[in-house]
Amino acid sequence: MTPAVEFRHVTKRFEGAGSPALDDVSLRIDPGELVCVLGTSGGGKTTLVKLINRLHDADEGQVLVEGRDVRELDPVELRRRIGYVIQQSGLFPHMTVAGNIACVPKILKWDRDRIDARVRELLRLVHLDPDEFAGRYPAELSGGQQQRVGLARGLAAEPDIMLLDEPFGAVDAITRKSLQDELLRIHRGSGKTFVFVTHDVAEACRLATKVLVIDGGRVQQYGAPDEVRERPATPFVASLFASGRAAR
């Protein structure tokens, strides 16, 4: 089986930093996994995600998406094939909910009927009534509703891979639980590959098929949540799971 995403001895450095953001990282993410990436701030989580869609490029090694080295792919075309959801949704404030969700399909020149049908389908998928919400603007939505629209926008062009960088970090605990439920339902129903960055150990254990723990730019452990929790491979992993939440 070709991995959905594969890192082969990847190192990434940023100018002025004393150590690499990622240091000789090798791992494979199989199709259909929901991988939660855990670690402290500055540990390399977001850098790893941004190497997948070429918001950063590796200095050494290879990043492969569905078997192809991303450096051989046009970065704009690559990003159109990969869903991307960030904290606080990143919605365009001057566009309606429907306009935000339709952005990438419009760029891909889908016809209007297909776009309209996809917008309505996705709003129903994230439990927002299309008749009520399609014409609203982001400022008219709650934080949780904005995150639901952000998730719908990430799914709009039917990507096989979704990258989610702390998408629920700015919402309250009750809304977060509801969004987690939606994410699990969507993932299980879609068969897509999700890579989900979080600081929250409990969230990772609840959502993940596999947990990836990174610290100091290095992979500390990668495995099923129960395996990582019960048999930590390093003192850092043991401390992280004992604390229940990574320090920001």
Side-chain angles (χ1 to χ4, degrees), residues 27-224:
L27 63 97
R28 59 179 287 159
I29 299 172
D30 290 327
E33 298 277 16
L34 198 167
V35 175
C36 282
V37 187
L38 275 170
T40 55
S41 290
K45 304 183 305 299
T46 293
T47 299
L48 181 136
V49 166
K50 289 183 175 181
L51 286 169
I52 297 171
N53 65 1
R54 290 199 68 189
L55 290 175
H56 297 317
D57 282 322
D59 295 306
E60 299 172 19
Q62 289 180 292
V63 180
L64 296 94
V65 169
E66 297 173 336
R68 295 192 63 186
D69 189 324
V70 296
R71 286 174 297 193
E72 299 174 357
L73 304 173
D74 177 84
V76 175
E77 292 300 321
L78 176 68
R79 289 170 203 149
R80 289 173 184 168
R81 292 170 41 199
I82 297 175
Y84 189 42
V85 183
I86 61 174
Q87 191 175 126
Q88 297 179 331
S89 75
L91 299 178
F92 299 118
H94 63 288
M95 290 185 179
T96 64
V97 164
N100 269 279
I101 296 172
C103 278
V104 174
K106 284 182 178 177
I107 291 169
L108 295 176
K109 302 188 185 307
W110 289 16
D111 65 63
R112 178 175 292 277
D113 288 346
R114 184 183 178 190
I115 291 173
D116 290 347
R118 183 64 172 157
V119 167
R120 295 184 67 83
E121 175 191 6
L122 286 167
L123 284 172
R124 286 191 291 266
L125 185 68
V126 297
H127 290 182
L128 295 173
D129 181 352
D131 294 329
E132 181 179 354
F133 287 95
R136 291 192 186 182
Y137 288 86
E140 301 174 293
L141 307 178
S142 69
Q145 289 167 345
Q146 288 182 26
Q147 287 304 135
R148 289 171 189 266
V149 175
L151 182 57
R153 183 175 67 177
L155 289 162
E158 302 175 344
D160 290 327
I161 299 170
M162 288 283 292
L163 309 177
L164 304 103
D165 193 355
E166 296 196 69
F168 307 152
V171 297
D172 62 87
I174 294 174
T175 302
R176 189 178 187 123
K177 169 67 163 53
S178 174
L179 289 168
Q180 290 171 357
D181 291 341
E182 293 302 318
L183 186 77
L184 279 173
R185 182 177 59 82
I186 290 167
H187 176 260
R188 289 167 180 168
S190 70
K192 298 180 186 298
T193 305
F194 285 17
V195 182
F196 184 105
V197 173
T198 180
H199 279 87
D200 192 315
V201 172
E203 180 169 71
C205 289
R206 182 166 189 260
L207 296 177
T209 59
K210 286 188 177 175
V211 171
L212 171 64
V213 183
I214 295 181
D215 186 53
R218 289 181 173 270
V219 173
Q220 302 292 309
Q221 194 164 357
Y222 182 43

